[in-house]
Amino acid sequence: MTRCVTVKAQKQYNVYIGAGLLSEAGERIKALMPDVRAAVITDSNVAPLHLEALQTSLKNAGIDSSVYIFPAGEQSKRLSTVENILEWLAQQGFSRTDCVIALGGGVTGDMAGFAAAVYLRGVRYVQIPTTLLAAVDSSVGGKTGVDLGAGKNLAGAFKQPEIVLCDTDTLKTLPQHEIADGMAETIKYGVLFSQKLFDTLAQGKPDDLTDIITECVSLKAHIVEIDELEQRERKLLNLGHTLGHAIEKCSNFTVTHGHAVAAGTALIARAGEAMGITQKGTADRVEVCLLKHSLPISCDYEADKLAQAAMSDKKRSGDSITLVLIDRIGECILKKEPLSTLREYARYGRK
Ligand code: NAD
Ligand code: GLY
């Protein structure tokens, strides 16, 4: 059965989760945007697997579409790729009444959403996440953007989609490594907000991910509703991300986002315990859960190098940075710290 979560941000939209949604995409998009032309953005891995089903669905609904395919991977998430997409949109004659469709993981969604935010000063867009990570996190909430040389996601825009269609059948072609990436963000929601969700995930990956995705999307929708532009509560969603982004950067993006967030979460759990902020025993529970999903709980980089890489994090303001620390499983806090303490967190967190 298809589930639906409504996100009541400044723009209200529905996130549908269920099997077979790709084949319904055309009709659902047509119902929202009757006379639209669609610019489908996807990557070189997803195109051979899922593009045809989407194109058939769009065609059956009478929606004219063109496709832009970029080389898969985080290395593509740069302004240069967005520039190419924008030039292509213009060459294809897409207008303000048309829409962009992101078919793929977080890299595709972030870049296609950013292109939609700036093309003609904004056109509508649709998220069709095909990774677990994109399903539970990046396709919802309207954060779009690209990486800069200085760090992750440093250029971007808030731009909410018109609709999110998560076809759980597409997740069946995901390699194990990418499933684990998504599990890292899923575990994040448990550590942040729900002991029950955490305990479920600590037992391993459920066969049917529909309930888990729906729960994560509901939790994220609530946070986006109360703090769309990340002034307060939304910062909590960055649990594990300050050190995680630093790990991604230090590895020259060879460590994928979910794996880096997993290690970042384990590091901050251990650091929090060492500093007397996090309830004793929490770090062990976080580690056991991450390991159950074949996720890393540490990294090879020295504390100084990690702290240096974390300096360019977006959560920095002036000489301080807002860190997400774990109180206990299901309860986290925001703590503004001087930048100089980053090294301490990295040092205490390293195993
Ligand atoms: P990704 O988009 O690179 O996808 C991971 C890999 O899986 C890629 O090789 C892709 O081609 C492949 N793939 C995608 N769908 C597939 C499928 N169904 N079958 C087989 N292969 C498939 O990366 P990701 O892990 O989905 O997302 C990570 C990105 O998301 C990072 O750039 C991160 O910064 C961003 N992110 C953004 C937000 C946000 O709120 N905007 C939140 C979390 C993460
Ligand atoms: N992925 C964090 C956020 O959307 O705020």
Side-chain angles (χ1 to χ4, degrees):
M1 198 187 73
T2 299
R3 313 290 167 80
C4 176
V5 177
T6 302
V7 183
K8 298 189 191 85
Q10 270 179 36
K11 167 201 281 293
Q12 179 167 313
Y13 56 95
N14 288 336
V15 181
Y16 294 97
I17 303 135
L21 279 170
L22 263 191
S23 63
E24 297 173 20
E27 286 303 334
R28 288 184 186 268
I29 292 168
K30 182 104 181 159
L32 280 177
M33 297 174 269
D35 298 316
V36 84
R37 262 181 84 210
V40 180
I41 315 290
T42 191
D43 76 25
S44 52
N45 290 338
V46 176
L49 296 169
H50 302 297
L51 180 59
E52 195 182 329
L54 175 62
Q55 281 182 301
T56 305
S57 173
L58 292 171
K59 191 164 173 237
N60 289 345
I63 298 176
D64 181 26
S65 67
S66 305
V67 181
Y68 186 94
I69 302 173
F70 66 90
E74 185 74 31
Q75 314 284 354
S76 282
K77 206 176 113 175
R78 301 301 295 240
L79 277 174
S80 53
T81 315
V82 172
E83 184 180 0
N84 291 339
I85 292 172
L86 294 173
E87 292 288 359
W88 173 81
L89 288 169
Q91 279 157 16
Q92 295 288 318
F94 280 100
S95 71
R96 276 217 172 122
T97 51
D98 296 326
C99 84
V100 167
I101 301 179
L103 174 71
V107 166
T108 305
D110 281 10
M111 275 202 305
F114 188 39
V118 295
Y119 183 62
L120 304 178
R121 298 202 177 86
V123 296
R124 295 168 293 181
Y125 82 112
V126 174
Q127 288 274 16
I128 306 188
T130 64
T131 63
L132 179 58
L133 185 145
V136 298
D137 197 350
S138 62
S139 64
V140 178
K143 275 191 189 175
T144 73
V146 294
D147 304 328
L148 300 181
K152 285 275 300 174
N153 300 328
L154 292 184
F158 284 98
K159 167 87 176 163
Q160 302 292 346
E162 301 300 307
I163 185 172
V164 182
L165 297 168
C166 173
D167 182 340
T168 49
D169 285 338
T170 64
L171 305 180
K172 291 179 183 157
T173 58
L174 261 188
Q176 176 48 41
H177 182 275
E178 274 73 26
I179 290 282
D181 267 329
M183 277 299 166
E185 297 280 12
T186 310
I187 293 165
K188 177 187 84 175
Y189 287 105
V191 177
L192 280 172
F193 306 121
S194 168
Q195 166 110 239
K196 189 162 166 272
L197 173 62
F198 180 87
D199 289 341
T200 304
L201 296 170
Q203 286 162 24
K205 181 176 104 44
D207 289 336
D208 184 357
L209 290 165
T210 313
D211 284 342
I212 296 286
I213 296 171
T214 307
E215 185 164 357
C216 292
V217 170
S218 302
L219 289 165
K220 180 154 187 182
H222 173 67
I223 291 291
V224 170
E225 280 165 25
I226 59 176
D227 180 23
E228 183 171 351
L229 300 182
E230 198 175 298
Q231 301 301 303
R232 305 170 308 276
E233 295 88 346
R234 190 165 179 172
K235 290 182 182 169
L236 287 167
L237 298 180
N238 295 318
L239 174 65
H241 281 58
T242 297
L243 293 174
H245 284 165
I247 293 168
E248 276 185 277
K249 192 176 168 202
C250 289
S251 78
N252 201 19
F253 299 109
T254 54
V255 177
T256 52
H257 182 72
H259 281 64
V261 166
T265 305
L267 260 83
I268 211 70
R270 285 193 293 268
E273 259 192 55
M275 291 169 162
I277 299 163
T278 302
Q279 193 176 73
K280 288 261 173 279
T282 304
D284 276 352
R285 289 180 68 195
V286 169
E287 285 181 16
V288 168
C289 184
L290 293 170
L291 290 171
K292 184 96 188 167
H293 296 275
S294 310
L295 286 161
I297 55 169
S298 197
C299 71
D300 294 335
Y301 307 108
E302 295 300 329
D304 278 347
K305 191 169 179 194
L306 277 180
Q308 192 56 42
M311 295 281 180
S312 59
D313 196 279
K314 291 192 301 305
K315 279 84 70 190
R316 174 184 174 171
S317 65
D319 286 341
S320 61
I321 188 160
T322 301
L323 295 176
V324 188
L325 299 172
I326 305 170
D327 176 351
R328 65 196 72 206
I329 300 292
E331 194 78 46
C332 289
I333 55 162
L334 296 172
K335 196 162 193 286
K336 200 167 180 178
E337 290 278 34
L339 277 180
S340 53
T341 59
L342 271 175
R343 197 180 159 279
E344 295 307 300
Y345 280 95
R347 195 166 61 81
Y348 281 124
R350 286 191 76 249
K351 229 175 154 58

